[in-house]
Amino acid sequence: MRPSLVIFDCDGVLVDSEPITNRLLRDDLAARGLDLTLDRIEEVFVGGTMASVGETAREMGADIPEGWVDAFYEQMYAELAKGTPLVDGIEDVLDQLDAAGIPYAVGSNGSLRKMSITLGGHPALYARLETTLYSAHTLGVAKPDPELYLKPARDAGVPPEQCAVVDDSATGCTAGVRAGMRTMGYAEHNDGARLKAVGAEPFHRMSDLPGLLGL
């Protein structure tokens, strides 16, 4: 069944920002006594807020000082502002949704400032999304809380069961499933087992999404 609304995560779904952020986080934590591989960084931290990342890293033995979250954000924003590529195929997905008359929104654990930097580097895309960006920093709740996906659905007047979520993390997919929405787990670089385990439908190429959504 075609959805009446599609809600996208941002990082790793619209923009390929996670490799940049993960490398930065790995280097920062290594300097603070927690030396992890990039695979382990992705497994443990992707999908969380920076506040939760800091808490978890501290529990794992990293020397995380007061004010670390804000300082890391500034470092991350500066790096992302150098240029953040789009996920391959996402513009065509939005084109096909537009052609089908299906609206879309974005629900992200990242801040609006972060989205303005990453998406803003692609002005034509940003113009399509700017009025439907939802951030955990603004709403005061973060995935896996389903509210980050329920709020855009309410604002669009679309029941959860008529919505589809596209997310690439287990945390985000959990939010979609808890929201009662069909949840598509984007697993570009892995088998999608972690996403399937929380109830998502894994897929591996963004170009496959329109067909999966019945467009």
Side-chain angles (χ1 to χ4, degrees):
M1 183 181 72
R2 281 189 176 193
S4 299
L5 174 70
V6 179
I7 313 172
F8 295 93
D9 177 39
C10 186
D11 297 298
V13 172
L14 299 175
V15 290
D16 195 19
S17 53
E18 288 175 350
I20 299 170
T21 303
N22 289 347
R23 285 194 298 270
L24 202 62
L25 182 60
R26 179 196 60 188
D27 293 347
D28 185 276
L29 295 182
R32 300 181 188 283
L34 185 61
D35 195 359
L36 302 174
T37 65
L38 279 172
D39 285 345
R40 184 68 173 146
I41 290 283
E42 180 177 351
E43 178 184 347
V44 175
F45 298 117
V46 167
T49 62
M50 288 315 303
S52 69
V53 167
E55 291 169 6
T56 302
R58 186 180 288 115
E59 291 168 1
M60 295 174 71
D63 180 19
I64 303 294
E66 290 298 317
W68 177 83
V69 171
D70 289 341
F72 186 82
Y73 268 128
E74 291 306 318
Q75 189 183 174
M76 178 178 65
Y77 292 153
E79 196 65 26
L80 292 171
K82 295 176 182 177
T84 307
L86 295 177
V87 167
D88 188 42
I90 191 61
E91 289 177 293
D92 182 60
V93 170
L94 299 185
D95 287 344
Q96 293 197 49
L97 288 171
D98 285 342
I102 297 173
Y104 40 84
V106 180
S108 175
N109 273 355
S111 66
L112 289 174
R113 181 179 170 192
K114 182 181 181 183
M115 286 188 273
S116 74
I117 291 170
T118 57
L119 295 170
H122 308 275
L125 182 76
Y126 187 53
R128 301 165 80 167
L129 299 167
E130 187 176 8
T131 60
T132 55
L133 299 176
Y134 293 79
S135 165
H137 294 231
T138 304
L139 292 182
V141 292
K143 306 170 196 175
D145 192 304
E147 179 62 17
L148 202 49
Y149 285 139
L150 291 170
K151 171 65 170 168
R154 284 199 305 273
D155 286 354
V158 178
E161 62 272 15
Q162 294 178 21
C163 297
V165 160
V166 185
D167 209 303
D168 69 319
S169 73
T171 302
C173 287
T174 297
V177 172
R178 288 180 178 174
M181 300 176 180
R182 183 184 181 191
T183 302
M184 313 300 297
Y186 182 48
E188 182 182 13
H189 302 296
N190 56 69
D191 63 4
R194 294 179 67 232
L195 308 183
K196 186 176 182 179
V198 299
E201 302 172 40
F203 71 106
H204 305 283
R205 296 183 304 177
M206 194 57 72
S207 58
D208 291 337
L209 183 60
L212 294 170
L213 295 177
L215 302 183

